[in-house]
Amino acid sequence: QVHLVESGGGLAQPGGSLRLSCTASGTTFSVYRWGWYRQGPGEQREMVATLTTGNNLNYTNYADAVKGRFTISRDSSRDTVYLQMHKLKLENTAVYYCNADDYTLDTHWGQGTQVTVSS
């Protein structure tokens, strides 16, 4: 089992930056893909960014809406995944969830952290 805890959400102004953190515990060695998803008010949960690891390679994938502004990364020594967000927009307001997919085909979710972009 993988346990995920997000932090770093909060209030930011348009054009500002925030960094989200996701600290993982448990059987993290079994995870092959880490991700950040978000769910805005009245919307479905959507992928923001994913990081696929393995064979010493890290492959990242981003939603078109965040390319060039958001960066997903992982510090394996801390078992932490980050989402660095720059040039935030009003429409980036959402609850952001950390996600981990493992080799047993289980999907794990954190509890979410609120990001509010407002002037």
Side-chain angles (χ1 to χ4, degrees), residues 3-77:
H3 185 57
L4 305 172
V5 179
E6 302 98 333
S7 60
L11 178 65
Q13 292 188 336
S17 299
L18 280 175
R19 188 177 78 160
L20 305 182
S21 300
C22 171
T23 301
S25 60
T27 55
T28 59
F29 59 86
S30 66
V31 175
Y32 71 92
R33 182 169 60 207
W34 304 88
W36 286 96
Y37 289 70
R38 68 186 176 192
Q39 187 166 14
E43 298 178 356
Q44 292 193 340
R45 193 172 298 188
E46 62 179 4
M47 186 275 290
V48 177
T50 61
L51 173 64
T52 303
T53 63
N55 296 324
N56 295 318
L57 296 175
N58 289 326
Y59 173 76
T60 57
N61 185 42
Y62 296 94
D64 288 342
V66 307
K67 283 181 181 176
R69 299 188 298 118
F70 292 10
T71 302
I72 186 172
S73 62
R74 178 172 175 246
D75 184 341
S76 58
S77 67

